[in-house]
Amino acid sequence: MSTSKTAATAGMAARWLAALKTPVGAVSAAMLLSVLTLAVLAPILWSGQAEEINTRAILQGPSPEHPVGTDSLGRDLFFRLLVATGLSVKLALAATGIGVCVGLVLGAVPSLLSRRIGRLVTAFVNIAVAFPGLLLAMFFAVIFGVGQTGAVLAIGFATAPSFARLTQTLIATQSERDFIAAAKLAGVGRVQRLIRHILPNIAEPLVVTATIGAGSSLLAFAGLSFLGLGVQPPAYDWGRLLNEGLNDIYLHPMAALAPGLAVVIAGLAFNLFGEAVAKTLGAPTPFAGKGAAPQRVRPTAVESSADVEPSTSSRESSAVLTVSDLFVSFPGPAGPITPVRGVSFSLAQGEAVGVVGESGSGKTQTALALAQLVEYPGSVTASRLEFLGQDQLSSPSPAKRQLLGTSFAMVFQDPMKSFNPTMRIGTQLAEVAQRHQGMNRRQALARAADRLRAVRVPAAERRLRQYPHEFSGGMRQRAMIGMGIMGNPALIVADEPTTALDVTVQQQVLRLLSTIKEENNVAILLISHDLTLVGQVCERVLVMYAGRIVEDLPATDLAERSLHPYTQALLAAVPDMETDRNQPLAVVPGRPADPSNVPAGCAFASRCPKADDHCTREDPQLVQQEDGHRVACWHPSRGTGQRVSVELKLPAAALQGEAS
Amino acid sequence: MSELRFEQVSVRFGGRRGMTAVDGVDLTVPKGQVVGLVGESGSGKSTLARAAASLTPLSAGQILFNGRPLRPKRGEHRPLQMVFQDPHSSLNPRMSIGDSIAEGIPRAGRGDAASRRAEVERLLGLVGLDPQRASSYPGQMSGGQLQRVALARALAGQPEVIIADEITSALDVSVQGTVLNLVRDLQRELNLSMLFISHNLAVVRYVADAIAVMYLGRIVEQGPAEQILSNPQHPYTKALLAAVPGNGSTGLSPGMSDPAVQAVSDAEPADPHHPPTGCRYHLRCPIGPLVLPGRDVCREADPEPEGHSHAAACHFADGSLMAGKAGLL
Ligand SMILES: Nc1ncnc2c1ncn2[C@@H]1O[C@H](COP(=O)(O)OP(=O)(O)OP(=O)(O)O)[C@@H](O)[C@H]1O
Ligand code: SF4
Ligand code: SF4
Ligand SMILES: [Mg+2]
């Protein structure tokens, strides 16, 4: 038990440590550490020096003896500054502690009590949040009385509402997750659900926010003390020192500047450290903001490594797209991860080719690489990449960009992500024609309406003025396709275009793609995990496994003439309307190869019933079998997808091996 | 073992301007049987499932468990458990899978730590996982394995009814089979009653004894699986069946003959906030008022399931008097 407990907490530790590796994180962590050390040690070590009254050295400026000068009783300000760290930090932490506790309670109460009381608390918190913090603090200071305790309570209560709201939001998001529903079903009560299931999952962002909050409390406290509402003499914190130093600011500026600087440095230490950790957690912070558009990487040329023939069809002269030796890789913690490892194929005019494979087999990365959309820090290489006869590997030119912009269309699984939610559909479609075809706005809008009609969006003109969220899922996907055919594309790459859609709507979208292909002689690259769907729409199917094409075959051959054991296993695993209900379903044992650690030899060997020594030693190349059929396997044999392994109660052992 | 019966169950969301996600559903999951529930997204399948699990309050009707209303109190043993779609979200990432499963064991029979551990190990074995893995965390397991864990947790509650909501849709076909085999074996072995929700008809066909088809909050057709599949009555069921790849459909060939049929088959799913009048399917129905003249009744009157075979909610389904009348017109 304990070993795996560490496994879970190790993740957390790793994330916090990752923050230390960023420059801001490292610097702020060092600052924070020194501030905290000073807060503990300074009062113990230097209280004597700081309290020592020297009437002969009153209100002196900086000197070698007194680096920051002295105050009206001749006490050394440098030591007072150091010693004040203790009280300043202690009070800030105390106030934050109160804020966190009150905030947690206020934030958690709505989820524990009845709906009505919960709503009341929420409303109260919302009003309190809208109140300016310092005003709230001063209000509380008046209530609790002027002094240290009053100020701590004041700042604590003033920070509580925003913390309560954060807690509430975090709890609400977690509460929607299915494991909370499962716990409810198991009869776990509300309080237990909160303690066991919700709090551990929101602790990290709360701790980060509390750290940032401590910095703000420090500033606020200095403010109150400075105004005379906080620490009272003879006690002193930085705010108090600032207040005293300000009296003679024209004579001894250092006496006021130094405590001010101390407040800023300590406040920043807390704030920056919190921000740095938040960033590595991916939690939103006020400063994170939306970065610039992700940087795309361009494919670079490499020499052909082997004698790979990119094309199988004899129609190469009319090829729309030709790619050889395509590699995509990303830097990983333990060496590079290579999701695409040498993909070669070509697409003829008007040809529909499907790409199938399990999740993680590299389908999407292949598509992104072809569209030159792989994001930094990925790298893309190929020995050949031609689109409509143009070499895409040599340096880019405006003409090439133009060609890619008008003739290459990409359709994604989630059109909501590809449309800008704040712009009308019409504007977004028109933009394409304006940018790539040099149309004016009116022409472009007319074209957009025409294209929407072409993809059978009813009431196209009216729809142009609508926003993406006003479209249903199927409609959005059609609009996305409409955007792709704003120009005259020679190729549409569609990555899981119907996975998010219902069966009947899925049929509509596929029908539309087929129509466009027929009418405009457009080539289609359809990526899907669904073999039957691909077989239905495409003429040729590329089967991918672990970043490679392992079989390239005519769709008509899928059912009975496939050669690769993986293709056959996939086919056998899909239940259809004829599957025998009295037999267990066929399964593909084991789990897909890990792209960061692809085994030597055939990547499928550990799951293949036909694997032998040869397979585990040498990697089979994709070789031509007969016209239009390529396969990468040492022992190809025709099959209809026999059962690979169907024993049910056995897999315990097999699954053990499955674990990583 | 036990029967789960929905009687005129309705679930409303939002206040006055809200919508009715489930609208007067009558459905029975007989003892030891698997009822498959199909329908497009947003039709209310998951809402119905969550209502049965008391995760969503009913606004009308009742859900009977062996003839008695199901009203679990806190801490009381629930005879009904649920397995969810996304295995990564259905297990607490900060809890070992053993602890998650142990939590599902009913309080009454929980016993001491040792017997609890033994029970967890038995359950892991039951779903084909190595008992040693009890101390693993969800982040260390694959989707298929996690779905087995979720199943083990549900079984820990010694349920008599299991609700499985799209439990294989987040999985690759290569692992879908293992989970389906497991579900089917366990259901038979433990004689569980089961409501199995999926949008994949081939999957439903494989596990279900009976099938119910849902459209916009209503059950539009239900009956024994092989009858529904071989002889569908409701036009929506027919459309669903035709959409199954490789099911003899030629739907993909461009240029459908009849433009009216083409238009309705390309129609958008209706807006659940403003369901169409009369038959809710009439805007998309290939034999409805938009295609065949003289079927205005579809627009005006809500079709009743009574008196039609498969309780099909269509004026023109078999066994209907209306069909005869329309023939005369
Ligand atoms: N930005 C990235 N950094 C590191 N690895 C990545 C990145 N993007 C993708 N990968 C890895 O590449 C592999 C293949 O990803 P890809 O999305 O192409 O697969 P896929 O077959 O399309 O999967 P799915 O069906 O789940 O969409 C995955 O294992 C993934 O972890
Ligand atoms: S090369 Fe060997 S291990 Fe790989 S698929 Fe072919 S037979 Fe199986
Ligand atoms: S009632 Fe009319 S519109 Fe509704 S399904 Fe039947 S025929 Fe179609
Ligand atoms: Mg993908």
Side-chain angles (χ1 to χ4, degrees), chain A residues 254-265:
Chain A
M254 263 318 267
L257 286 181
L261 205 65
V263 168
V264 169
I265 290 175

Side-chain angles (χ1 to χ4, degrees), chain A residues 330 337 339 358-365 496 595:
Chain A
F330 292 92
I337 300 165
E358 282 167 278
S359 112
S361 58
K363 309 181 294 288
T364 301
Q365 292 301 324
E496 304 270 8

Side-chain angles (χ1 to χ4, degrees), chain A residues 515-534:
Chain A
T515 314
I516 292 169
K517 165 182 146 347
E518 297 292 322
E519 287 173 359
N520 308 314
N521 203 23
V522 181
I524 291 185
L525 192 68
L526 178 67
I527 295 168
S528 173
H529 64 276
D530 189 340
L531 254 175
T532 36
L533 181 143
V534 160

Side-chain angles (χ1 to χ4, degrees), chain A residues 358 472 508 511 581 583 585, chain B residues 174 181 184 206 251 265 268:
Chain A
E358 282 167 278
S472 72
Q508 296 171 359
R511 211 151 50 215
R581 295 193 52 203
Q583 293 290 319
L585 285 173
Chain B
S174 53
N181 286 341
R184 227 177 52 134
Y206 183 71
S265 67
E268 278 303 300

